[in-house]
Amino acid sequence: MKFAKLDFKILQHLHKMEINKINRWWKGLDVATNFPFIRDRLVECYFWMMGAYFEPHYAVARAFVTKVTCLLSILDDIYDAYGTYEELEMFTKAVQRWDTNCIDQLPDYMKLWYSEALNVYNDMEDLMSKEGKSYRVQLAIEAVYMIFTFCS
């Protein structure tokens, strides 16, 4: 029983550190100012990923997928509640290209979302390339591309 309690406390500490790190990333985006129209779903997204990647050694995957899910939640609100048709057409084409050269044509809130999405995927690619698994990030980028192709 002592080991079970100790294991629980260690795991709880790991989860606190993870959510703290993800929360700093979220606050760094200054979501309340830059995206005042969105639903703040950070904790919900983290708990969702806890259900999918519950084992401690999946900490990196949990953090990455939580960030991606949060960005997708913002994206959903951009498309459903805020963006104009013309802005959304430009935005869709820019994301389909997955190129930073397209960013200058977008409104500020879309620029922020797009640059942050690129940053999250680039950070993950750097981390995965150290392990020789960078192909996984490319598959994730292709999944985003497929979402935008399907939606357009």
Side-chain angles (χ1 to χ4, degrees), residues 33-77:
T33 304
N34 294 318
F35 304 103
F37 53 90
I38 69 154
R39 300 162 288 169
D40 190 346
R41 301 176 75 183
L42 173 69
V43 175
E44 181 182 348
C45 292
Y46 179 72
F47 279 123
W48 187 18
M49 290 312 109
M50 287 284 297
Y53 297 107
F54 59 90
E55 294 176 340
H57 63 274
Y58 290 128
V60 172
R62 233 183 342 266
F64 174 66
V65 179
T66 298
K67 289 179 181 181
V68 169
T69 306
C70 287
L71 288 171
L72 289 175
S73 176
I74 293 172
L75 183 69
D76 182 53
D77 291 339

Side-chain angles (χ1 to χ4, degrees), residues 17-114:
M17 289 174 30
E18 287 174 5
I19 194 70
N20 204 4
K21 189 175 181 180
I22 294 168
N23 191 41
R24 279 195 308 269
W25 166 79
W26 188 250
K27 287 186 181 204
L29 284 175
D30 196 11
V31 174
T33 304
N34 294 318
F35 304 103
F37 53 90
I38 69 154
R39 300 162 288 169
D40 190 346
R41 301 176 75 183
L42 173 69
V43 175
E44 181 182 348
C45 292
Y46 179 72
F47 279 123
W48 187 18
M49 290 312 109
M50 287 284 297
Y53 297 107
F54 59 90
E55 294 176 340
H57 63 274
Y58 290 128
V60 172
R62 233 183 342 266
F64 174 66
V65 179
T66 298
K67 289 179 181 181
V68 169
T69 306
C70 287
L71 288 171
L72 289 175
S73 176
I74 293 172
L75 183 69
D76 182 53
D77 291 339
I78 287 172
Y79 273 89
D80 289 348
Y82 196 73
T84 66
Y85 182 76
E86 293 78 22
E87 290 174 342
L88 295 173
E89 278 187 328
M90 286 190 312
F91 188 56
T92 301
K93 289 176 184 174
V95 175
Q96 284 177 335
R97 288 188 215 129
W98 202 259
D99 184 15
T100 56
N101 296 332
C102 308
I103 207 165
D104 294 330
Q105 303 163 355
L106 300 173
D108 289 338
Y109 70 98
M110 288 181 175
K111 285 180 188 178
L112 178 62
W113 185 93
Y114 190 42

Side-chain angles (χ1 to χ4, degrees), residues 88-149:
L88 295 173
E89 278 187 328
M90 286 190 312
F91 188 56
T92 301
K93 289 176 184 174
V95 175
Q96 284 177 335
R97 288 188 215 129
W98 202 259
D99 184 15
T100 56
N101 296 332
C102 308
I103 207 165
D104 294 330
Q105 303 163 355
L106 300 173
D108 289 338
Y109 70 98
M110 288 181 175
K111 285 180 188 178
L112 178 62
W113 185 93
Y114 190 42
S115 64
E116 190 56 37
L118 291 172
N119 288 340
V120 166
Y121 281 91
N122 287 338
D123 290 347
M124 186 50 56
E125 189 168 23
D126 292 344
L127 189 61
M128 290 280 108
S129 65
K130 292 176 187 173
E131 299 176 17
K133 300 175 183 176
S134 61
Y135 66 92
R136 293 179 178 182
V137 179
Q138 192 58 40
L139 291 173
I141 291 169
E142 288 175 19
V144 172
Y145 175 77
M146 292 300 291
I147 290 169
F148 275 87
T149 302

